[in-house]
Short mmCIF file of all heavy atoms in Angstrom, two decimals:
data_model
loop_
_atom_site.label_atom_id
_atom_site.label_comp_id
_atom_site.label_asym_id
_atom_site.label_seq_id
_atom_site.Cartn_x
_atom_site.Cartn_y
_atom_site.Cartn_z
N LEU T 122 92.59 73.64 76.77
CA LEU T 122 91.21 73.42 77.18
C LEU T 122 90.49 74.70 77.32
O LEU T 122 89.20 74.69 77.46
CB LEU T 122 91.14 72.67 78.53
CG LEU T 122 91.81 71.30 78.57
CD1 LEU T 122 91.95 70.87 79.98
CD2 LEU T 122 90.98 70.27 77.89
N GLY T 123 91.20 75.78 77.36
CA GLY T 123 90.61 77.16 77.61
C GLY T 123 90.63 77.50 79.09
O GLY T 123 89.94 78.33 79.54
N THR T 124 91.53 76.74 79.85
CA THR T 124 91.71 77.09 81.20
C THR T 124 92.49 78.35 81.25
O THR T 124 93.50 78.49 80.61
CB THR T 124 92.55 76.00 81.91
OG1 THR T 124 91.97 74.79 81.61
CG2 THR T 124 92.58 76.24 83.46
N MET T 125 92.10 79.32 82.01
CA MET T 125 92.83 80.61 82.14
C MET T 125 93.05 81.00 83.64
O MET T 125 92.16 80.89 84.35
CB MET T 125 92.18 81.77 81.39
CG MET T 125 93.00 83.01 81.39
SD MET T 125 92.43 84.24 80.30
CE MET T 125 91.18 85.07 81.23
N ALA T 126 94.36 81.42 83.91
CA ALA T 126 94.58 81.94 85.24
C ALA T 126 95.54 83.11 85.13
O ALA T 126 96.45 83.08 84.40
CB ALA T 126 95.20 80.84 86.11
N GLU T 127 95.16 84.17 85.89
CA GLU T 127 96.13 85.30 85.90
C GLU T 127 97.15 84.95 87.00
O GLU T 127 96.75 84.59 88.16
CB GLU T 127 95.44 86.60 86.24
CG GLU T 127 96.44 87.73 86.22
CD GLU T 127 95.91 89.13 86.25
OE1 GLU T 127 94.73 89.29 86.46
OE2 GLU T 127 96.71 90.05 86.01
N VAL T 128 98.47 84.98 86.66
CA VAL T 128 99.52 84.54 87.51
C VAL T 128 100.64 85.50 87.49
O VAL T 128 100.85 86.30 86.53
CB VAL T 128 99.98 83.11 87.06
CG1 VAL T 128 99.06 82.05 87.49
CG2 VAL T 128 100.24 83.12 85.59
N PRO T 129 101.52 85.54 88.52
CA PRO T 129 102.72 86.35 88.46
C PRO T 129 103.86 85.81 87.61
O PRO T 129 104.66 86.56 87.11
CB PRO T 129 103.16 86.45 89.95
CG PRO T 129 102.55 85.23 90.64
CD PRO T 129 101.37 84.89 89.87
N PHE T 130 103.87 84.51 87.43
CA PHE T 130 104.81 83.85 86.56
C PHE T 130 104.19 82.58 86.02
O PHE T 130 103.32 82.03 86.66
CB PHE T 130 106.12 83.58 87.27
CG PHE T 130 106.01 82.90 88.56
CD1 PHE T 130 105.86 81.47 88.53
CD2 PHE T 130 106.03 83.54 89.74
CE1 PHE T 130 105.75 80.80 89.79
CE2 PHE T 130 105.88 82.87 90.96
CZ PHE T 130 105.66 81.46 90.97
N ALA T 131 104.64 82.15 84.89
CA ALA T 131 104.03 80.93 84.33
C ALA T 131 105.01 80.27 83.37
O ALA T 131 106.00 80.83 82.93
CB ALA T 131 102.79 81.32 83.56
N ALA T 132 104.69 79.01 83.09
CA ALA T 132 105.52 78.15 82.09
C ALA T 132 104.68 77.15 81.46
O ALA T 132 103.69 76.72 82.04
CB ALA T 132 106.70 77.57 82.80
N HIS T 133 105.03 76.80 80.22
CA HIS T 133 104.35 75.68 79.56
C HIS T 133 105.45 74.68 79.06
O HIS T 133 106.62 75.04 78.94
CB HIS T 133 103.64 76.22 78.27
CG HIS T 133 102.25 76.58 78.55
ND1 HIS T 133 101.31 75.73 79.08
CD2 HIS T 133 101.55 77.76 78.31
CE1 HIS T 133 100.16 76.33 79.14
NE2 HIS T 133 100.24 77.58 78.70
N GLY T 134 105.08 73.49 78.82
CA GLY T 134 105.98 72.46 78.28
C GLY T 134 106.80 71.72 79.45
O GLY T 134 106.55 72.03 80.59
N TYR T 135 107.67 70.88 79.06
CA TYR T 135 108.45 70.08 80.04
C TYR T 135 109.29 71.01 80.99
O TYR T 135 109.54 70.76 82.11
CB TYR T 135 109.38 69.11 79.32
CG TYR T 135 108.66 67.88 78.93
CD1 TYR T 135 108.66 67.46 77.61
CD2 TYR T 135 108.06 67.02 79.84
CE1 TYR T 135 108.02 66.38 77.16
CE2 TYR T 135 107.32 65.88 79.49
CZ TYR T 135 107.36 65.52 78.06
OH TYR T 135 106.68 64.40 77.73
N GLY T 136 109.64 72.19 80.39
CA GLY T 136 110.48 73.11 81.15
C GLY T 136 109.71 73.58 82.44
O GLY T 136 110.33 73.96 83.45
N SER T 137 108.39 73.60 82.37
CA SER T 137 107.58 74.08 83.53
C SER T 137 107.84 73.23 84.78
O SER T 137 107.84 73.85 85.91
CB SER T 137 106.09 74.07 83.16
OG SER T 137 105.60 72.74 83.04
N TYR T 138 108.11 71.93 84.60
CA TYR T 138 108.40 71.13 85.86
C TYR T 138 109.58 71.58 86.60
O TYR T 138 109.73 71.36 87.79
CB TYR T 138 108.46 69.68 85.41
CG TYR T 138 107.14 69.14 84.89
CD1 TYR T 138 106.89 68.99 83.58
CD2 TYR T 138 106.14 68.81 85.79
CE1 TYR T 138 105.72 68.52 83.09
CE2 TYR T 138 104.94 68.28 85.35
CZ TYR T 138 104.71 68.17 83.96
OH TYR T 138 103.49 67.71 83.49
N PHE T 139 110.59 72.19 85.84
CA PHE T 139 111.79 72.62 86.54
C PHE T 139 111.66 74.19 86.92
O PHE T 139 112.09 74.53 87.99
CB PHE T 139 112.95 72.53 85.55
CG PHE T 139 113.19 71.09 85.11
CD1 PHE T 139 112.56 70.61 83.98
CD2 PHE T 139 114.00 70.23 85.86
CE1 PHE T 139 112.78 69.33 83.58
CE2 PHE T 139 114.19 68.91 85.44
CZ PHE T 139 113.53 68.43 84.26
N ALA T 140 111.07 74.93 85.99
CA ALA T 140 111.11 76.38 86.20
C ALA T 140 110.12 76.88 87.25
O ALA T 140 110.44 77.79 88.01
CB ALA T 140 110.70 77.02 84.82
N LEU T 141 108.93 76.22 87.37
CA LEU T 141 107.98 76.70 88.32
C LEU T 141 108.44 76.81 89.78
O LEU T 141 108.28 77.69 90.57
CB LEU T 141 106.64 75.96 88.24
CG LEU T 141 105.83 76.30 86.96
CD1 LEU T 141 104.58 75.50 86.92
CD2 LEU T 141 105.40 77.78 86.93
N SER T 142 109.16 75.66 90.17
CA SER T 142 109.66 75.69 91.54
C SER T 142 110.79 76.73 91.78
O SER T 142 110.89 77.30 92.77
CB SER T 142 110.14 74.25 91.88
OG SER T 142 110.94 73.72 90.90
N LEU T 143 111.58 76.92 90.64
CA LEU T 143 112.65 77.95 90.73
C LEU T 143 111.93 79.33 90.90
O LEU T 143 112.42 80.18 91.69
CB LEU T 143 113.48 77.95 89.48
CG LEU T 143 114.68 77.06 89.48
CD1 LEU T 143 115.22 76.99 88.07
CD2 LEU T 143 115.74 77.56 90.44
N LEU T 144 110.91 79.54 90.12
CA LEU T 144 110.25 80.80 90.18
C LEU T 144 109.52 81.05 91.48
O LEU T 144 109.45 82.12 92.02
CB LEU T 144 109.24 80.99 88.95
CG LEU T 144 109.87 81.13 87.62
CD1 LEU T 144 108.92 80.80 86.48
CD2 LEU T 144 110.37 82.59 87.46
#
Side-chain angles (χ1 to χ4, degrees):
Chain T
L122 298 167
T124 312
M125 181 167 88
E127 183 168 10
V128 284
F130 51 83
H133 271 303
Y135 281 119
S137 68
Y138 294 99
F139 302 89
L141 286 178
S142 46
L143 272 170
L144 287 161

